[in-house]
Each structure stands twice: as C-alpha cells, then as structure tokens.
Amino acid sequence: MYNKFIAYLLWAVGGFGALGLHRFYLRKIPTGILWMLTGGLGMIGSIYDFFTMQSQVDFANYQKAIGNMPKPSDIGSPMRHVTDGQSHIVHEKDTIERIILRIAKENKGTLTVSDLALAANTPIEEARKALDDMVTKGHAELRVRQSGSLVYAIPDILDNDEPLVN
C-alpha cells in the first residue's frame, strides 16, 4: 500500500513536485516523465499535486487492491462471494451444479438466477441456462413465489414451509 507521508516527502525532495518523484512512486509513470521534463508543468501541476496528494494516494491504493483481487482465470484459487448476507468461498474447481446446490441449501431449497450469477461469478444468461438445464434434467423446478417472482426450487432440499405456487 502507498503511504501519504512518503508521497509528500518525495514531492518535497523532488523540488516541490517539479521532478515528479511522487508520481513515479504512485505508478503514474507517463505524468511523472511529463513533470520531470516540464518542471511539474511550470509548477502549476506540482501545486495541484500538493492539494490533491491524499486523494491520489487513496486512488492508487484502490487500484492496487483491485489489481490484487483474484480473477476467474486463476485456476484453483478461492474466491469469496456474498449471497443473502452470507459469505462463502467458491473454488474454481466447483461445478456450476455444486454452486447451485450450495445456494439452494443456504436458501431453504430455492434460488434465483441472480443468486447464481453472483455466487458463481458468471453472466446472468449463463446462470439462467445452467438453471434451465437443471429443470430440463428433472433436478429442479421453476416456481412462482406468492409475490410473483420466479425461483428455481430443488425438491430434494426444498423447505416445504416456504409458500410457493405451482
């Protein structure tokens, strides 16, 4: 993580921002070179940096945190997902069916397309197709809540106390 004190120290040591050392520190290489060649854009950019340094460091830390997040392509790496306020870890090796069953178990036997899309980190259309495949194979049923919303029910896990209309 980037430190605000170090950024201000580099700003001061680098000719009050004219050399752009603080920009190199924050991985703003192109503008660091520009600052170095133009004396911090004639010191106007250096003054701007002095007043915005805190937000620049915060943004650089945010970008670094986003860059360190696991990506779906990281095979076998655990990914934390939150559904209905509960957090659980999904491993890339988990099949879509296992994720469907896990969510259904957490939700008393029912789940929505959105639940699956969030938990499996997959587009909504892929989640809908996976759930429709489960219905086609006879492992799930498409039902309507009393509120009118559509849910997929897994009969083996379904909590019969949940009011659903066939």
Side-chain angles (χ1 to χ4, degrees), residues 108-124:
K108 300 179 183 175
T110 62
L111 71 155
T112 65
V113 172
S114 300
D115 291 335
L116 179 58
L118 284 171
N121 195 25
T122 187
I124 288 177

Side-chain angles (χ1 to χ4, degrees), residues 79-90 102-108 115 118-119:
M79 297 173 54
R80 184 167 298 279
H81 295 280
V82 178
T83 56
D84 293 337
Q86 296 180 355
S87 176
H88 63 277
I89 294 176
V90 175
R102 183 180 307 116
I103 298 168
K105 186 174 182 181
E106 291 172 0
N107 295 327
K108 300 179 183 175
D115 291 335
L118 284 171

Side-chain angles (χ1 to χ4, degrees), residues 46-134:
S46 299
I47 294 168
Y48 169 81
D49 284 348
F50 176 78
F51 290 107
T52 63
M53 187 74 68
Q54 291 182 16
S55 62
Q56 288 183 47
V57 171
D58 289 341
F59 185 71
N61 284 331
Y62 170 76
Q63 285 182 315
K64 188 173 185 179
I66 293 295
N68 291 336
M69 289 181 68
K71 295 170 182 54
S73 60
D74 297 339
I75 296 173
S77 66
M79 297 173 54
R80 184 167 298 279
H81 295 280
V82 178
T83 56
D84 293 337
Q86 296 180 355
S87 176
H88 63 277
I89 294 176
V90 175
H91 292 275
E92 286 300 313
K93 294 180 182 179
D94 281 351
T95 63
I96 195 78
E97 288 84 8
R98 287 181 56 89
I99 297 170
I100 289 170
L101 294 173
R102 183 180 307 116
I103 298 168
K105 186 174 182 181
E106 291 172 0
N107 295 327
K108 300 179 183 175
T110 62
L111 71 155
T112 65
V113 172
S114 300
D115 291 335
L116 179 58
L118 284 171
N121 195 25
T122 187
I124 288 177
E125 285 307 313
E126 288 181 29
R128 181 180 314 282
K129 182 181 180 320
L131 288 167
D132 287 342
D133 286 347
M134 294 277 290

